[in-house]
Amino acid sequence: MNTLPPPPDPLLLPVRDPRARDLVLDYADMHALVADLVLPGDASMYAMSAMETSRELIRHSFYRYEFATVAVTHSLFALEHVLAERLATDEPLHVLIQRAADAGLITAGLAAELDRGRLLRDKLTQGVESSAALRPLRAVAMVRAVFDAVSLLLRPPPATEATAADAGGPQPEGGLARLWEEHLGALFPDGFRGVDFDGVDLVLLDADVAGLVQRELNGGLDDDGIACLWNCIADLDKIVPLINEEYCASYFTKLRAMAQVAAAPHLPAAT
């Protein structure tokens, strides 16, 4: 008698959601639909992760129609985070949007589109709307509004808002501390644990830089630490161009920027 268990069912590949039949011809056409949703390179890792996820949710609404609506609500995480940082206040999203419009940071039309996304999120929370509320094309427009707003909000403040330090005075030590706090809030890229590029293990490199930056913040690096930090920067220079995944490349680009700031006081003396 054969006592082996029956073989598992074959893996079912995703199929097109019939509700998306009038959207594009095939999945490859979804790439063009979201092609102009470009991540701003100077956003925090948290904001970039939320924005990239929202873009990919729209792309995959080809297979699950509801993903389009979820994409809009997820993009609001990035918007709220960036608004709170730029305005230096922690208030409800509709207040933050209005404050940004009043301050001239975003246009009134853009603020109205952002608030429509916020209202949709609230209706979903209250059970008034379902996750199939939006067609993917409408979701693209609403997510694009978030991308546009974030890009505007990340622009440097005008000269009238600049501080004496911004105008050329000594830079505060908080620069490295701010980068460190941002790094602590960033998630290590999924799927890249145990991965190495050109012999450089990404997890170990991340941990080495983090430990050296902590030591610099907590009293300064000794000669061995400085040498190790410059070696890490050399490794980052080598591996970043080899990373072909957007979030991972951005994560390690920002890691390199933080390492460079930590190493800047320890440049070798000119000879």
Side-chain angles (χ1 to χ4, degrees):
M1 177 181 295
N2 184 3
T3 59
L4 293 175
D9 292 335
L11 179 64
L12 297 177
L13 296 176
V15 296
R16 180 184 194 163
D17 191 312
R19 293 169 292 179
R21 62 184 177 275
D22 298 326
L23 181 62
V24 292
L25 291 177
D26 55 36
Y27 178 70
D29 293 330
M30 295 297 293
H31 305 324
L33 196 66
V34 299
D36 64 340
L37 299 178
V38 179
L39 298 175
D42 48 354
S44 69
M45 296 304 299
Y46 175 85
M48 287 189 69
S49 178
M51 294 168 75
E52 184 176 22
T53 299
S54 66
R55 184 185 64 195
E56 295 310 304
L57 283 166
I58 291 176
R59 197 194 306 270
H60 287 84
S61 65
F62 181 85
Y63 298 118
R64 183 67 182 182
Y65 195 80
E66 284 82 356
F67 285 177
T69 299
V70 178
V72 174
T73 61
H74 199 86
S75 71
L76 297 179
F77 296 152
L79 176 66
E80 192 161 7
H81 176 78
V82 173
L83 279 169
E85 282 201 338
R86 181 62 192 270
L87 298 170
T89 184
D90 184 14
E91 295 183 280
L93 181 55
H94 71 280
V95 176
L96 293 173
I97 293 171
Q98 187 59 54
R99 283 186 181 274
D102 292 343
L105 299 175
I106 57 176
T107 65
L110 186 54
E113 182 73 345
L114 296 172
D115 203 52
R116 280 189 278 271
R118 192 269 310 174
L119 287 169
L120 172 63
R121 182 195 65 180
D122 291 351
K123 289 178 180 179
L124 287 165
T125 302
Q126 297 158 6
V128 177
E129 289 281 9
S130 77
S131 294
L134 294 178
R135 297 182 67 247
L137 286 176
R138 181 69 184 111
V140 170
M142 297 179 80
V143 170
R144 184 181 294 115
V146 172
F147 274 63
D148 290 346
V150 168
S151 295
L152 289 171
L153 291 163
L154 291 174
R155 288 180 179 177
T160 53
E161 297 178 26
T163 63
D166 295 329
Q171 294 300 310
E173 186 178 340
L176 181 59
R178 179 183 58 79
L179 291 172
W180 173 242
E181 288 299 320
E182 186 174 299
H183 178 72
L184 290 178
L187 297 176
F188 190 87
D190 282 343
F192 286 86
R193 296 187 184 278
V195 173
D196 71 80
F197 285 91
D198 202 10
V200 177
D201 185 284
L202 298 188
V203 170
L204 293 179
L205 179 59
D206 181 49
D208 286 345
V209 172
L212 292 163
V213 168
Q214 272 192 304
R215 285 164 58 188
E216 175 66 13
L217 287 168
N218 294 332
L221 291 167
D222 57 18
D223 289 345
D224 288 342
I226 294 167
C228 185
L229 183 57
W230 282 109
N231 286 336
C232 288
I233 291 171
D235 283 341
L236 286 161
D237 287 339
K238 180 170 62 173
I239 63 103
V240 167
L242 304 177
I243 302 173
N244 60 5
E245 197 274 333
E246 192 169 8
Y247 178 81
C248 185
S250 177
Y251 181 93
F252 281 94
T253 297
K254 289 177 181 290
L255 186 71
R256 191 213 178 279
M258 181 174 67
Q260 186 70 49
V261 171
H266 306 293
L267 288 170
T271 56

